[in-house]
Amino acid sequence: MSEKLLQLDAVTIRFGGLTAVSEVDLSIGHGELVGLIGPNGAGKTTMFNLITGVYQPTSGQVLFGGRGLLGLRPHHRTRMGMARTFQNIRLFGSMSVLDNVRAAMQLHRRDGWRQALWRGNQARESERGVESKARELLAIFGLEERCQENALGLPYGEQRRLEIVRALATSPRLLLLDEPAAGMNPTEKVELARLIRLVQERFKISVLLVEHDMKVVMSVCERIAVLDYGRKIAEGSPVEIRRNPNVIAAYLGQEVADA
Amino acid sequence: MRLGGARRWLVLALLVAAAVSAGSGVMNRYYLGVASEVGINVILAVSLNLINGYTGQFSLGHGGFMAVGAYVAAKMTLVFGEQVGAAFQPLLFAGALVAGGGAAALAGLAVGVPSLRLRGDYLAVVTLCFGEIIRVVFQNSAFFGAATGLSGIAPWTTFGWSWGVAALTVYVVLALVHSTYGRGFLAVNDDEIAASAMGLNPLKYKVTAFLVGAFFAGVAGGLFAHMKRAINPEGFNFMRSIDVVVMVILGGMGNTAGVVAAAVLLTVLPELLRGFSDCRMIAYSLLIIVLMLLRPQGLFRRSGKGGGL
Ligand SMILES: Nc1ncnc2c1ncn2[C@@H]1O[C@H](COP(=O)(O)OP(=O)(O)OP(=O)(O)O)[C@@H](O)[C@H]1O
Ligand SMILES: [Mg+2]
């Protein structure tokens, strides 16, 4: 497969006078684990919003599976095979853990309102299929005991894991994780890194990981891109990034070298 | 799914409604009238709850949708009522109700689509104006009897029809909302950005809610017309919309059981207060205020699972 799964060509977005992302090129291959790091306000979340269609770029283009995404809204892009989590957790607060995952499984089903109303054997079987797949995914992330609890009643770390499960439930080819380890304790972080690698292998997906915790980034990613003030200042293997003088300068030398 | 055997419950409810209706000859006509009105208000409140409760929009258009259904259904039975034999009357009535619902659904589409980009109070204002426009249109249309409205409508709305359609409405809303497809209504309400990131089209869910909600409001209008036997534009002013909104809020947004209870309570209460004559509306309003203060989350607490029953 020579074609890249995701490709950004000179993507730029301006908000008034502020250029939040500037001329960024980035590509992600099939099955690749890529990290995206940078100081606060560097433009990482904005990149996610550009890729998933929350924002349209001022200039440049985003290709997914070789197809231009210009003008496609977020739900179209998710149906094409990308799914994300949010830095500020955005679970469906009125629903149970299980239903959060179920809601994310409608997109590839053809059963709409007619099946919902008629409730024939076919519809019931389809609903059962949805539920068992949802439970399976929740079990991978250790949330199967929590199925009936309200999503917002979970501890913080579990809410973050639920966000990942919900994103996986859309059957993505590319999973975008925005600071999934934020607020987790060290044990949870180690477990999270293991889980990210596990689902990448098991579902044969690509992952783009934004994360401030360098241990997590370094242990998960095969390649890392670094943003600073909206520009890509470096890209390479974890070892290369750790030694890169531009990166060390951007982080004032600390975190990256220590990790 | 979790509503296992929901279809059986629906059939049971329809049978009970039909049986009571069949025996209604010996029952008190006043109570039957109130009971029919209860059914109609349950239809209105439960269908509005799909729009305002589950999908989190704020529509004040139910009076308008009801008017469309009432006029279309009444006109249809007035025109064709004489021509069909007695045996076909129920068929004509059903057809008229569906036609009224269909016309109201079209109206729902007409108001739903342009106001999709509006939220909260803005949507409320637009739907309110829309309801008033509908009323004024009927007021000035000679075909629909202008300000005097339509009269001499056949009294076909029995207890059975009213409660049968109410059961159907409850079934449709619950079956929709509890399916995997229907979790999308709640998802859109909870967080539109997250919903679209999960591949759900928020606009489609919002329009669908309007479409289904307006359809049942229209059917309720048809039932109302064939109960009152005479309708005029004043009967569908914005107070009617407010009444339904109050039922939904009191019952608890997105809680069908609570909304049904509120619809029953708020229909029966004014009847019980008849003795107070002049103070009746004040007593009624005070009771609503007290109930809201005592149960701000609705008559029944909204369960953690969301959507309650
Ligand atoms: N919708 C917007 N309107 C105006 N400015 C914005 C908007 N979205 C992002 N920005 C700005 O773009 C810059 C990049 O923000 P972004 O959230 O992408 O940073 P980040 O790298 O994710 O930071 P953090 O590590 O703190 O999450 C910031 O200066 C931010 O204020
Ligand atoms: Mg961010």
Side-chain angles (χ1 to χ4, degrees):
Chain A
M1 276 186 272
S2 62
E3 189 179 75
K4 292 295 185 185
L5 179 60
L6 180 79
Q7 193 175 331
L8 276 67
D9 291 332
V11 168
T12 300
I13 187 167
R14 281 188 207 94
F15 297 111
L18 175 88
T19 307
V21 172
S22 177
E23 304 271 324
V24 171
D25 297 315
L26 181 72
S27 66
I28 299 176
H30 294 269
E32 231 185 332
L33 286 157
V34 180
L36 181 64
I37 63 171
N40 288 110
K44 305 175 299 288
T45 298
T46 305
M47 288 268 290
F48 269 31
N49 287 333
L50 284 164
I51 294 169
T52 57
V54 176
Y55 300 146
Q56 300 288 336
T58 312
S59 66
Q61 62 170 347
V62 182
L63 300 171
F64 188 65
R67 211 180 128 189
L69 296 181
L70 189 71
L72 289 181
R73 283 177 291 158
H75 64 270
H76 289 127
R77 300 188 190 205
T78 306
R79 284 174 200 179
M80 288 171 71
M82 55 169 80
R84 70 178 290 181
T85 64
F86 293 91
Q87 182 174 352
N88 311 309
I89 296 175
R90 284 176 171 271
L91 291 169
F92 300 129
S94 73
M95 289 186 237
S96 67
V97 167
L98 181 66
D99 283 354
N100 264 268
V101 183
R102 276 175 75 207
M105 294 174 70
Q106 174 60 25
L107 77 172
H108 298 305
R109 300 171 75 228
R110 262 177 300 157
D111 303 14
W113 56 272
R114 246 176 285 133
Q115 293 277 358
L117 292 185
W118 183 244
R119 292 165 173 270
N121 287 338
Q122 201 188 333
R124 239 173 295 158
E125 203 149 297
S126 164
E127 291 283 5
R128 264 199 293 271
V130 165
E131 184 171 333
S132 69
K133 191 185 163 199
R135 285 181 187 278
E136 216 172 282
L137 286 173
L138 284 165
I140 296 176
F141 282 77
L143 294 170
E144 73 273 33
E145 303 289 313
R146 303 282 204 178
C147 276
Q148 298 307 329
E149 279 173 53
N150 179 274
L152 299 186
L154 299 184
Y156 201 73
E158 294 189 357
Q159 289 192 23
R160 288 234 174 258
R161 295 213 297 268
L162 177 56
E163 273 231 342
I164 301 176
V165 173
R166 190 178 64 168
L168 282 173
T170 66
S171 311
R173 287 184 285 163
L174 172 65
L175 180 64
L176 303 133
L177 303 174
D178 200 347
E179 302 199 15
M184 287 186 175
N185 64 39
T187 333
E188 284 179 313
K189 282 179 182 174
V190 172
E191 172 67 1
L192 177 75
R194 183 187 73 82
L195 285 169
I196 294 173
R197 285 190 307 261
L198 176 103
V199 294
Q200 185 277 330
E201 226 166 89
R202 181 144 161 200
F203 300 110
K204 313 240 176 320
I205 55 179
S206 309
V207 175
L208 181 60
L209 172 69
V210 166
E211 184 48 63
H212 278 296
D213 188 293
M214 288 307 150
K215 280 205 188 83
V216 174
V217 179
M218 299 286 173
S219 70
V220 168
C221 299
E222 301 156 342
R223 183 157 59 87
I224 296 169
V226 188
L227 282 186
D228 192 23
Y229 293 109
R231 296 186 172 279
K232 189 169 86 177
I233 57 166
E235 185 173 347
S237 68
V239 180
E240 287 165 345
I241 292 299
R242 226 174 295 176
R243 294 195 196 124
N244 187 307
N246 291 338
V247 178
I248 293 172
Y251 276 98
L252 295 170
Q254 285 310 308
E255 288 177 73
V256 188
D258 290 350
Chain B
M1 205 179 46
R2 212 161 294 123
L3 273 174
R7 272 195 297 184
R8 241 172 300 151
W9 281 106
L10 176 64
V11 171
L12 188 70
L14 291 175
L15 286 177
V16 170
V20 173
S21 205
S24 66
V26 294
M27 294 180 203
N28 183 309
R29 296 196 47 173
Y30 168 72
Y31 290 125
L32 274 175
V34 174
S36 295
E37 203 154 342
V38 164
I40 290 171
N41 281 336
V42 166
I43 302 168
L44 288 169
V46 169
S47 60
L48 182 68
N49 191 31
L50 180 63
I51 304 174
N52 289 22
Y54 289 113
T55 321
Q57 307 180 90
F58 195 165
S59 170
L60 280 170
H62 245 46
F65 300 138
M66 191 186 171
V68 172
Y71 272 98
V72 170
K75 194 74 199 175
M76 227 175 118
T77 60
L78 280 172
V79 171
F80 299 110
E82 304 286 283
Q83 292 156 29
V84 301
F88 289 101
Q89 275 175 1
L91 214 59
L92 174 64
F93 188 35
L97 291 179
V98 171
L106 283 181
L109 205 59
V111 64
V113 171
S115 32
L116 277 176
R117 295 186 192 286
L118 305 174
R119 273 152 220 281
D121 12 4
Y122 289 92
L123 181 63
V125 170
V126 168
T127 52
L128 183 74
C129 295
F130 162 82
E132 290 300 287
I133 290 171
I134 288 188
R135 196 170 57 81
V136 172
V137 167
F138 283 123
Q139 205 150 32
N140 290 289
S141 144
F143 182 70
F144 287 112
T148 44
L150 301 174
S151 54
I153 305 165
W156 288 344
T157 299
T158 58
F159 175 87
W161 278 99
S162 156
W163 282 54
V165 176
L168 193 69
T169 311
V170 170
Y171 171 83
V172 166
V173 169
L174 285 182
L176 271 185
V177 161
H178 283 272
S179 67
T180 297
Y181 160 79
R183 290 283 102 179
F185 292 106
L186 283 89
V188 167
N189 183 4
D190 284 343
D191 190 326
E192 222 173 299
I193 290 175
S196 53
M198 296 307 126
L200 306 171
N201 184 350
L203 301 191
K204 228 171 165 177
Y205 275 100
K206 288 182 178 184
V207 172
T208 305
F210 255 102
L211 208 67
V212 176
F215 175 83
F216 282 106
V219 174
L223 290 167
F224 178 81
H226 291 82
M227 181 178 74
K228 298 285 178 195
R229 308 197 58 189
I231 52 175
N232 64 58
E234 275 314 307
F236 304 102
N237 64 14
F238 77 93
M239 275 315 292
R240 166 103 26 213
S241 304
I242 303 278
D243 282 343
V244 188
V245 168
V246 169
M247 289 172 194
V248 171
I249 294 176
L250 186 65
M253 299 275 212
N255 180 332
T256 297
V259 166
V260 169
V264 174
L265 188 68
L266 294 191
T267 317
V268 174
L269 208 54
E271 300 297 330
L272 295 180
L273 293 174
R274 266 187 197 284
F276 295 81
S277 60
D278 287 349
C279 308
R280 178 170 159 228
M281 282 327 286
I282 297 177
Y284 173 74
S285 306
L286 275 177
L287 264 169
I288 291 180
I289 294 173
V290 169
L291 277 171
M292 296 246 180
L293 289 174
L294 290 179
R295 313 234 17 119
Q297 71 281 54
L299 285 180
F300 299 153
R301 190 195 299 276
R302 180 177 181 164
S303 76
K305 266 185 256 174
L309 177 77

